[in-house]
Amino acid sequence: MKFRLEWLGQYLPGELPDLATLRRRLTDVGFIVEGTEGEGRDAVLDVELTANRPDGMNHRGLAREAACALGREFRDVPAPAPAEGPLEASSLATVTIEEPALCSRYSARIVEGVQVREASPAVQETAPAPSGMNPISSPVDATNHVLWDLGQPLHAFDLDTLAKGADGRPAIVVRRARAGETLVTLDGVERTLSPEHLVIADAEKPVALAGVMGGLHTAITPSTTRVLLESAHFSATAVRKTARLLGMHTDASHRFERGTDPATTVEGLNRVTALLVADCGGTVARGVIDVLAREIPSRVVKLRHARLVSFLGMDVPLGRCVQILSALAFGVTETAPGVLAVTVPTWRVDVEQECDLIEEVIRVVGYGALPEVLPPPFNPTWAEPILAREDRARDVLAAAGFVEACSYSFVSAEENAPFESAVSGSAPVIANALGEPFTTMRATPVIGLLRAARHNIRRGLSDLSLFEVGRSYALVEGHPVESRRAAVLLHGRRGTHWAAEALPADFYDGSGAVAALFAGFGAAAPGFRPVSVPFLASGRSAEIVAGGVVVGWVGVLAGPLAAAWDLDEAVVADVDLAAIPVPPPPSSVAMPSRFPGSDVDLTVTHPLSVGWETLDEAVRKGAPAELLRVDAKYLWRGAGVPEGFVKTTLRVAFGSPERSLGRDEINRWRDEAARRLLLVPGTAVDGIA
């Protein structure tokens, strides 16, 4: 934005500041001067303004910053109330605010008997316009002048064009537009409105887009004799939504979208009224129609000097802090030693908490004054439990030889459709998606792994072991639900020793990865129960069970689905991290036994329908206390094994912390375990070793 040095000087008593010094100091305090034009009183500064500082988007606000930066006095001369006639303004028009949350205050003045002129000598005499502010007509020039002077947008209506209410007075109503209403704005474009748009209406129809642009039908023309001047405070969100939905941007909306001062509405009216009467004559109706729908109190923020010193790593004397804040028009009261209660001016919409006040101090002191030291180490004493689980899952899977992938949570509806049954509820659809493939929130991180696998396979890398710790999403009864998941994908040959045969990854590699994940958390091994889901191959898929609860799934990807992703057989798994039953940390550590143990093998042929839990339970039921563990050693399907059966070798370990075990008792326990296995329907014991 461009600002005239002469205009800024009206708020800085004495000689105009040196242009080079002003440019440097404004830049130091955060108002970057990108360039200057001209010299002397006619110089213009081109200032870059950040969106959080709408208070600096006018000459008074920038002059206040300049005064503080230069250590000079700031002089603000409020506009005197204009001379008024006998008629009450409230007898000539009414104002109603139907949306107090979107419009906290609406102020209006009425001037009768004006003669509209094409130019505004009063405006040019008060302060020549900055570059880009072109004369239009006296009323419009006056409103533009106050906008650039105080930062308060205003609008002028032809009072005689406003429809009258039931009481016979022209009406102003701040409301939401009704569906299907239209408005021809000042740029000549007819716009169709909806209830998402905040409008200024008369008794019948919209006459302006609140905070954005007025309507053509009620605009000031050369024949206008009665003017209603508007000065209001609108919600930044409401103006931003209206402007963006209609693809509009104006000087007024630029300021309202960032936040204006609710306390400046009447002051702005007084200034614009004085300029209008000076140029166009007329009589000002007595009083201001000032409707306050919602009080916006000044914020009071506590500033602890000790906290400021600690935060900055340097000492700024308390008196200097008070001096800086007072120069910026903050109200400062010391409520306790070293503690300030700071009243925030209503125009400083960006100051909300203590760190904002610390920033105010240091930007004036100068960021260059900050000491160059390394930050102290940060050792948090507490972490979110689920985040700790995610980190642990990454460590375990990386240690198991998997490579981490990071993928988007946004997927296409086509990619997500096969996995919709993986979650309870429906797939969340993104309202403002960037386009395919970003329209849907994924049901499982496996989709991202499939994308990564396809990308690698198309480039000749087919032996893959990938994992991702991410989230799945669903809508359950209309409410979004997120779940923290660990997903794995295996494709091609499993990682093996160089001397071993390179075999393709299968279901058992996937279930082993899941078991390793549980073991990494110190949890008991999960159960695997056959399941039939559309995205996994029948007979080679299972749901993961822990504590009697289903916590995930694992299996070979269904053939047609794998082909759609350009894959051969792929093993995938998905586990709910929050559902893994992590035991509490041990309170003591048991020393390992100094006596050797002994392992025995039992090979059984059993139907595929007999799960590992059944075999494990048969071995453990009635076993002695010396039984340490039961593991699956080998699985075989093929030659010598009937269709529908599998041959499993169980390794059974015995041991005691108190004595060495005898061969006879080990053989006896082994034979008893074999007899119990024979009691499982359809099971035959083929070998004992």
Side-chain angles (χ1 to χ4, degrees):
M1 289 185 176
K2 297 185 177 181
F3 299 85
R4 285 189 67 90
L5 180 61
E6 180 182 6
W7 198 336
L8 293 172
Q10 294 181 4
Y11 293 98
L12 303 172
E15 295 183 358
L16 288 176
D18 175 69
L19 186 60
T21 303
L22 177 61
R23 176 177 181 173
R24 176 176 55 82
R25 286 301 294 144
L26 280 176
T27 299
D28 289 343
V29 298
F31 292 82
I32 301 174
V33 182
E34 296 183 319
T36 59
E37 302 171 7
E39 297 179 355
R41 307 184 69 85
D42 296 327
V44 174
L45 291 81
D46 189 357
V47 183
E48 178 185 340
L49 294 162
T50 55
N52 68 318
R53 292 302 305 272
D55 61 288
M57 297 177 182
N58 56 84
H59 284 78
R60 181 170 69 175
L62 191 64
R64 182 182 290 109
E65 291 288 335
C68 181
L70 296 171
R72 293 183 54 167
E73 177 189 356
F74 173 79
R75 179 180 60 195
D76 187 11
V77 182
E84 299 176 337
L87 285 178
E88 286 278 358
S90 58
S91 68
L92 301 175
T94 63
V95 173
T96 304
I97 300 177
E98 293 185 358
E99 295 289 340
L102 306 183
C103 176
S104 67
R105 187 175 190 179
Y106 193 103
S107 307
R109 270 196 180 276
I110 295 174
V111 183
E112 296 186 293
V114 301
Q115 293 181 346
V116 176
R117 301 174 61 177
E118 293 184 358
S120 178
V123 167
Q124 292 300 317
E125 181 180 345
T126 303
S131 176
M133 183 173 157
N134 300 317
I136 299 174
S137 67
S138 291
V140 176
D141 292 350
T143 58
N144 285 338
H145 173 85
V146 174
L147 180 143
W148 280 98
D149 188 22
L150 306 181
Q152 174 62 41
L154 301 105
H155 184 66
F157 293 99
D158 185 330
L159 182 64
D160 292 323
T161 62
L162 296 175
K164 298 178 180 179
D167 58 3
R169 291 176 293 175
I172 288 289
V173 182
V174 185
R175 61 172 173 83
R176 292 181 183 270
R178 301 185 180 99
E181 284 187 320
T182 60
L183 172 67
V184 179
T185 47
L186 288 172
D187 54 6
V189 178
E190 183 177 29
R191 306 180 187 275
T192 301
L193 309 178
S194 73
E196 292 186 279
H197 303 133
L198 183 68
V199 299
I200 309 301
D202 59 18
E204 300 174 353
K205 61 190 178 303
V207 295
L209 296 172
V212 182
M213 186 179 288
L216 189 61
H217 175 69
T218 55
I220 302 297
T221 67
S223 60
T224 298
T225 59
R226 299 203 302 162
V227 175
L228 184 145
L229 295 167
E230 166 201 284
S231 182
H233 179 260
F234 299 115
S235 159
T237 302
V239 175
R240 187 182 306 117
K241 179 178 288 188
T242 297
R244 294 190 179 181
L245 287 175
L246 295 174
M248 302 177 69
H249 183 268
T250 62
D251 284 340
S253 70
H254 187 83
R255 288 157 176 81
F256 276 126
E257 287 179 22
R258 288 155 177 79
T260 57
D261 181 6
T264 310
T265 59
V266 174
E267 181 185 8
L269 273 181
N270 288 339
R271 292 207 182 193
V272 76
T273 302
L275 292 172
L276 178 64
V277 172
D279 281 331
C280 304
T283 302
V284 181
R286 185 153 48 91
V288 177
I289 305 175
D290 189 18
V291 178
L292 184 63
R294 177 170 52 88
E295 186 74 33
I296 301 181
S298 298
R299 290 186 294 272
V300 178
V301 181
K302 182 172 70 174
L303 175 61
R304 297 162 293 175
H305 184 249
R307 174 58 178 159
L308 180 143
V309 172
S310 172
F311 189 89
L312 296 179
M314 61 178 286
D315 183 24
V316 179
L318 182 63
R320 176 62 172 148
C321 297
V322 173
Q323 180 188 28
I324 291 171
L325 294 174
S326 299
L328 293 171
F330 290 86
V332 184
T333 304
E334 188 170 4
T335 57
V339 179
L340 304 177
V342 181
T343 302
V344 182
T346 51
W347 60 80
R348 288 301 301 272
V349 296
D350 60 312
V351 177
E352 297 180 346
Q353 49 191 332
E354 188 176 37
C355 60
D356 297 327
L357 295 175
I358 296 175
E359 182 182 8
E360 292 298 296
V361 172
I362 190 57
R363 72 184 179 89
V364 175
V365 170
Y367 292 108
L370 289 171
E372 297 180 3
V373 295
L374 292 173
F378 174 64
N379 296 309
T381 58
W382 179 88
E384 182 70 32
I386 190 61
L387 297 180
R389 287 195 175 209
E390 290 183 345
D391 288 342
R392 180 60 182 161
R394 292 185 179 97
D395 293 342
V396 170
L397 291 172
F402 288 83
V403 176
E404 184 173 10
C406 298
S407 61
Y408 288 116
S409 296
F410 304 141
V411 299
S412 69
E414 181 182 4
E415 291 170 337
N416 195 71
F419 296 95
E420 286 185 350
S421 60
V423 293
S424 299
S426 58
V429 178
I430 301 167
N432 58 341
L434 299 175
E436 291 289 346
F438 305 111
T439 60
T440 308
M441 302 298 288
R442 67 189 182 191
T444 170
V446 166
I447 299 174
L449 296 181
L450 291 173
R451 280 184 178 176
R454 180 175 61 187
H455 180 86
N456 281 274
I457 288 171
R458 287 177 174 178
R459 287 156 179 79
L461 302 174
S462 59
D463 298 331
L464 303 170
S465 299
L466 304 176
F467 82 91
E468 180 175 358
V469 174
R471 305 186 186 190
S472 66
Y473 304 86
L475 283 177
V476 179
E477 297 180 354
H479 298 286
V481 175
E482 295 184 9
S483 177
R484 310 291 183 102
R485 319 292 295 189
V488 300
L489 179 144
L490 292 158
H491 184 275
R493 297 174 299 174
R494 65 166 68 107
T496 62
H497 187 267
W498 63 270
E501 182 182 359
L503 299 175
D506 58 17
F507 168 85
Y508 298 105
D509 293 295
S511 60
V514 173
L517 180 63
F518 274 67
F521 280 96
F528 297 95
R529 193 162 58 201
V531 68
S532 177
V533 290
F535 51 87
L536 296 179
S538 178
R540 293 187 290 171
S541 57
E543 55 188 11
I544 305 165
V545 182
V549 178
V550 177
V551 299
W553 45 265
V554 59
V556 177
L557 200 65
L561 184 56
W565 285 96
D566 296 343
L567 308 180
D568 298 323
E569 283 201 349
V571 181
V572 292
D574 182 308
V575 182
D576 183 356
L577 288 177
I580 296 178
V582 179
S587 57
S588 62
V589 178
M591 292 293 293
S593 174
R594 62 189 180 92
F595 300 102
S598 181
D599 296 343
V600 297
D601 291 346
L602 297 171
T603 302
V604 296
T605 301
H606 59 90
L608 285 171
S609 59
V610 175
W612 168 255
E613 295 87 349
T614 304
L615 301 178
D616 181 72
E617 182 182 2
V619 174
R620 294 180 181 277
K621 186 176 181 180
E626 289 78 4
L627 176 65
L628 299 179
R629 62 184 177 275
V630 181
D631 298 320
K633 185 177 180 181
Y634 300 116
L635 297 119
W636 171 255
R637 291 176 63 189
V641 179
E643 184 69 25
F645 283 75
V646 64
K647 189 186 292 288
T648 301
T649 297
L650 296 83
R651 171 155 289 180
V652 184
F654 298 97
S656 171
E658 300 174 351
R659 62 187 179 89
S660 296
L661 302 179
R663 173 52 54 188
D664 291 342
E665 58 185 344
I666 292 175
N667 290 342
R668 184 177 74 253
W669 293 334
R670 177 200 64 193
D671 295 341
E672 290 173 353
R675 284 192 292 272
R676 291 194 295 271
L677 285 170
L678 286 171
L679 297 177
V680 177
T683 300
V685 177
D686 301 318
I688 297 176

